[in-house]
Amino acid sequence: MKFAVIITLKKDVLDPQGKVIEQTLEGMGVNNLKNLRQGKYIEIELNELDEKKAYSAVEDMCKKLLVNLIIEEYKIKKI
Amino acid sequence: MKFAVIITLKKDVLDPQGKVIEQTLEGMGVNNLKNLRQGKYIEIELNELDEKKAYSAVEDMCKKLLVNLIIEEYKIKKI
């Protein structure tokens, strides 16, 4: 069973890396950028047939290691 | 108009960062991991009402800056 985890900075947290990408794109001539934020993407494949169990295992990994819940939020999707 | 870009390493490219996360999770007692790969996630908001134009602008950004097409592949989704 395979899951995608998308980790993004919370709305009010500054994203310097995203800002740098934004400025670079603008420097390259892109003039219709409104906003750009960078996050992380993790694909996790589990040996687990029960979807509910697998989902909660992934959620557990997010809370214990992958996500800094103070400044980040996450979404889990089955893929 | 808002797009999500997911950038992942191609299948045959080694992902040392993903491996480290995998090993760390295993060290923490997760025993049903089959595979884990890390990628990047970028949210781009554009001042552009024409969806086709906006999509191709994002594709252009991917090819010119965001993605290393030799080792990475990307997916663009309207969100």
Side-chain angles (χ1 to χ4, degrees), chain B residues 31-45:
Chain B
N31 50 26
N32 52 1
L33 270 181
K34 196 168 164 194
N35 196 25
L36 188 152
R37 311 262 302 166
Q38 206 198 338
K40 278 178 277 184
Y41 175 81
I42 301 175
E43 251 176 42
I44 302 173
E45 208 175 338

Side-chain angles (χ1 to χ4, degrees), chain A residues 62-78:
Chain A
C62 286
K63 286 182 185 158
K64 286 189 184 150
L65 179 72
L66 306 176
V67 183
N68 176 350
L69 291 166
I70 302 168
I71 55 166
E72 293 172 328
E73 53 195 10
Y74 64 93
K75 271 182 239 162
I76 303 171
K77 275 184 221 164
K78 192 173 177 296

Side-chain angles (χ1 to χ4, degrees), chain A residues 33-49:
Chain A
L33 269 181
K34 196 167 163 196
N35 196 24
L36 188 152
R37 311 263 301 165
Q38 205 196 340
K40 277 178 275 184
Y41 174 82
I42 300 175
E43 251 175 41
I44 301 173
E45 209 174 339
L46 288 178
N47 284 321
E48 172 66 67
L49 296 173

Side-chain angles (χ1 to χ4, degrees), chain A residues 18-62:
Chain A
K19 271 281 160 283
V20 169
I21 298 175
E22 203 176 323
Q23 284 162 11
T24 308
L25 285 167
E26 277 161 0
M28 288 166 70
V30 179
N31 50 27
N32 51 1
L33 269 181
K34 196 167 163 196
N35 196 24
L36 188 152
R37 311 263 301 165
Q38 205 196 340
K40 277 178 275 184
Y41 174 82
I42 300 175
E43 251 175 41
I44 301 173
E45 209 174 339
L46 288 178
N47 284 321
E48 172 66 67
L49 296 173
D50 183 317
E51 185 172 342
K52 237 181 175 175
K53 266 191 205 166
Y55 186 94
S56 82
V58 172
E59 203 164 28
D60 229 42
M61 293 177 210
C62 286

Side-chain angles (χ1 to χ4, degrees), chain B residues 9-40:
Chain B
L9 286 166
K10 287 184 184 168
K11 226 182 168 184
D12 298 326
V13 178
L14 263 185
D15 174 17
Q17 212 173 346
K19 272 281 160 284
V20 170
I21 299 176
E22 203 176 323
Q23 284 163 11
T24 308
L25 285 168
E26 277 161 1
M28 289 165 70
V30 179
N31 50 26
N32 52 1
L33 270 181
K34 196 168 164 194
N35 196 25
L36 188 152
R37 311 262 302 166
Q38 206 198 338
K40 278 178 277 184

